[in-house]
Amino acid sequence: AGTANEQAVYLGKQVICFEGAGPQSSKVRFEEQSQLLGEKLHFIPERNHHKRVNHIHTLLTEWKGLQEMSKHIPKAGPRIVTDLLETLYKVS
């Protein structure tokens, strides 16, 4: 939800979002939010699940702040990617 994204970014969290079914998660809405919230909001425009997972994997492995974040939650990024890939291939 948009308000949750804004609150998370305000708290210094990185947010990954992608288009959903409702107006609160439309491409236009997230593009507008990206302009307001800056580089902490990562909108993934791809609708294909495989492309989304690849995009998320790239974000998690290339984030500038990932090293700092990993001090607090060791190995969270790789675990998230693993879970996403496992879920994706169970669904496909």
Side-chain angles (χ1 to χ4, degrees):
T3 303
N5 291 343
E6 292 162 6
Q7 291 174 352
V9 168
Y10 175 76
L11 294 170
K13 308 297 182 193
Q14 300 283 336
V15 175
I16 298 173
C17 54
F18 41 87
E19 192 171 3
Q24 74 280 7
S25 60
S26 70
K27 180 179 178 181
V28 172
R29 170 91 164 120
F30 286 130
E31 288 172 345
E32 290 169 349
Q33 267 197 326
S34 293
Q35 291 176 4
L36 294 172
L37 302 177
E39 63 185 39
K40 291 202 181 272
L41 182 83
H42 304 276
F43 172 62
I44 300 174
E46 289 89 359
R47 294 187 67 71
N48 176 286
H49 295 306
H50 294 283
K51 288 182 180 180
R52 280 184 181 170
V53 169
N54 288 335
H55 197 128
I56 291 168
H57 180 266
T58 299
L59 283 172
L60 291 174
T61 56
E62 295 181 3
W63 261 342
K64 295 173 190 166
L66 187 62
Q67 297 256 334
E68 180 63 29
M69 187 172 63
S70 66
K71 290 178 191 174
H72 304 288
I73 310 171
K75 301 182 183 168
R79 179 62 195 195
I80 291 168
V81 172
T82 300
D83 287 351
L84 284 168
L85 289 171
E86 288 173 358
T87 301
L88 176 68
Y89 288 110
K90 285 179 189 173
V91 172
S92 297

